[in-house]
Amino acid sequence: AQSVTQPDIHITVSEGASLELRCNYSYGATPYLFWYVQSPGQGLQLLLKYFSGDTLVQGIKGFEAEFKRSQSSFNLRKPSVHWSDAAEYFCAVGSFSNAGKSTFGDGTTLTVKP
Amino acid sequence: GAVVSQHPSRVICKSGTSVKIECRSLDFQATTMFWYRQFPKKSLMLMATSNEGSKATYEQGVEKDKFLINHASLTLSTLTVTSAHPEDSSFYICSARVGTGYNEQFFGPGTRLTVL
């Protein structure tokens, strides 16, 4: 079974500081990996995805993530955080063999200090 | 990108009534739609997978008689919460997948259901 762990429930960073959100997955085959952002009371917006190829993936809003197979990780990074980045972030893993279903981590709440 | 809408965005109902939530793919045809439930400060829990023209596949522990799903067309799936009770209050989110095989899901904005 596939699973996702986001070790950090809540992270607080200062505006302008760098950010890294951790994600570890468990899956026997090649995973498809995603990062989503959710603002309060809203649906999910895809930030970036990894299916194959270059392990460093660029996304929207200045985010990037790196797939590290040896560490089963897909950490999300941003060099300089903006106040508007405050939201809930979800990492998800999916696979072709599992009928296209995605499994989500429990999320990390990002707070941005002025 | 592909757009998915949900209606209504918020609904408040009395205990014992049924509530229907619509999920529409606005600019693409979705052979598969997923329904999720999200509790406060919690992750998304997949409830069921809805395929156009066939019965929905429910995840373990989800009552199919309680949460009726219909995927009548390639652009519309509905979730009906039957005889709703306060414990059914939650945020329900649908997503739609483009084409066959594995592709990314596009999420609707969610529906906040409050059962009094």
Side-chain angles (χ1 to χ4, degrees):
Chain A
Q2 56 198 39
S3 66
V4 178
T5 302
Q6 293 182 245
D8 305 303
I9 297 173
H10 194 170
I11 282 185
T12 299
V13 298
S14 298
E15 189 168 15
S18 64
L19 169 71
E20 182 169 36
L21 302 181
R22 296 183 290 166
C23 172
N24 294 98
Y25 69 90
S26 173
Y27 187 65
T30 301
Y32 299 149
L33 295 160
F34 307 85
W35 274 100
Y36 294 91
V37 61
Q38 183 183 35
S39 297
Q42 302 294 315
L44 277 68
Q45 180 182 22
L46 180 69
L47 287 176
L48 47 79
K49 61 187 177 185
Y50 172 78
F51 278 15
S52 65
D54 193 346
T55 56
L56 184 62
V57 180
Q58 301 298 320
I60 63 171
K61 303 185 179 186
F63 286 93
E64 67 176 27
E66 186 171 13
F67 170 57
K68 293 185 178 179
R69 185 186 298 274
S70 61
Q71 299 177 19
S72 297
S73 69
F74 189 59
N75 295 347
L76 182 72
R77 299 193 295 250
K78 186 170 185 178
S80 178
V81 169
H82 189 263
W83 63 266
S84 60
D85 293 324
E88 190 80 17
Y89 290 80
F90 292 97
C91 180
V93 61
S95 72
F96 182 85
S97 61
N98 195 22
K101 298 179 187 178
S102 290
T103 299
F104 287 80
D106 288 340
T108 297
T109 303
L110 174 64
T111 299
V112 180
K113 295 190 301 184
Chain B
V3 179
V4 176
S5 70
Q6 278 184 246
H7 178 79
S9 57
R10 290 178 177 271
V11 57
I12 300 173
C13 68
K14 293 183 179 180
S15 185
T17 61
S18 293
V19 174
K20 180 184 283 188
I21 302 170
E22 293 186 348
C23 177
R24 292 182 184 272
S25 56
L26 298 186
D27 50 1
F28 66 99
Q29 293 184 328
T31 51
T32 303
M33 290 183 173
F34 300 93
W35 286 95
Y36 295 86
R37 182 172 179 175
Q38 185 179 33
F39 294 96
K41 303 294 185 182
K42 294 291 184 183
S43 183
L44 278 73
M45 180 192 80
L46 179 65
M47 299 174 66
T49 303
S50 168
N51 292 296
E52 186 266 338
S54 63
K55 291 184 179 180
T57 303
Y58 291 81
E59 295 299 303
Q60 193 171 11
V62 178
E63 301 175 61
K64 59 177 134 183
D65 294 331
K66 172 75 159 175
F67 299 99
L68 299 179
I69 292 172
N70 183 275
H71 194 157
S73 77
L74 286 171
T75 59
L76 174 64
S77 176
T78 60
L79 167 67
T80 301
V81 183
T82 62
S83 187
H85 287 92
E87 57 266 28
D88 299 323
S89 298
S90 194
F91 194 55
Y92 292 89
I93 303 176
C94 74
S95 71
R97 190 175 71 195
V98 177
T100 58
Y102 191 86
N103 289 294
E104 68 180 272
Q105 300 175 41
F106 296 94
F107 286 83
T111 296
R112 171 73 60 194
L113 170 62
T114 302
V115 185
L116 302 177

